[in-house]
Amino acid sequence: MLRALLLAPPGAGKGTQGDRLAEIYEVPHIATGDLLRENVTRLTSIGERAMAFMDRGELVPDALVLSLVLERISTPDLLEGFVLDGFPRTLTQAHLAHEWGVANGRTFHAVIEIDVPRDQLVQRLVGRGKAQARSDDTLETIHHRLEVYADSTEPLLDFYRQRGILVEVDGTGSVEEVSARIRRRLDRLELT
Ligand code: AMP
């Protein structure tokens, strides 16, 4: 049982670490970026509305993301827990997620911040852009997404720090090293 959120800038390894955590704790890994990209590929109405924001490196409007997340989060496979990656990303989303958690007895056990220096993030994202041909991993968009993270998402760190559930982890080094750091921190928590 684990209810965790991965809160980190683009390129910090949320997706990779999210997959690993989900496997270890046997809970679903839900990445709003993946859900949105899937909607773009399937040309759903959400996908069509989200696409332009994503390509520009902007956040998709809260209402669109919320409709997607609420639909996903209400399914029974999440009763045992979940690893969320990429949501909440704004204070509005964080407040709503917190209200939902309180109402359903399912607030986060831990919010994991993966800390990686900016130059390394840019380097990793440029590499990913080449390898995966992601339309938002171009140099200009990368810098913009990092600004958007600093402006809209970083304030969430204080929101969760004040609630005593922020776990700050050094995100440099190999995937295995970061994953071991996260595990060590989570092992100390009482998950109820
Ligand atoms: P990611 O794969 O997490 O980097 O997300 C890719 C893109 O999806 C972001 O740059 C945003 O445009 C959009 N996105 C993902 N999650 C959210 C969210 N919680 N709120 C707004 N936009 C989001």
Side-chain angles (χ1 to χ4, degrees), residues 8-11 14-15 31-37 50-62 64-66 68-69 85-90 93 125 128 134 136-137 141 145 148 153:
K14 291 191 301 284
T32 44
D34 289 346
L35 290 178
L36 284 164
R37 278 186 289 278
M51 185 161 41
F53 294 98
M54 295 172 76
D55 279 347
R56 285 199 304 268
E58 300 281 346
L59 293 183
V60 171
D62 287 334
L64 266 188
V65 176
L66 283 163
L68 203 65
V69 171
D85 142 9
F87 175 91
R89 225 163 167 130
T90 64
Q93 293 176 12
L125 289 164
R128 186 172 74 182
R134 254 180 71 160
D136 57 351
D137 278 345
T141 315
R145 283 161 64 214
V148 168
T153 309

Side-chain angles (χ1 to χ4, degrees), residues 146-166:
L146 292 173
E147 303 301 329
V148 168
Y149 178 81
D151 290 344
S152 302
T153 309
E154 254 176 21
L156 274 64
L157 295 174
D158 264 345
F159 179 84
Y160 292 117
R161 193 176 284 121
Q162 280 161 17
R163 283 171 174 74
I165 56 171
L166 187 68

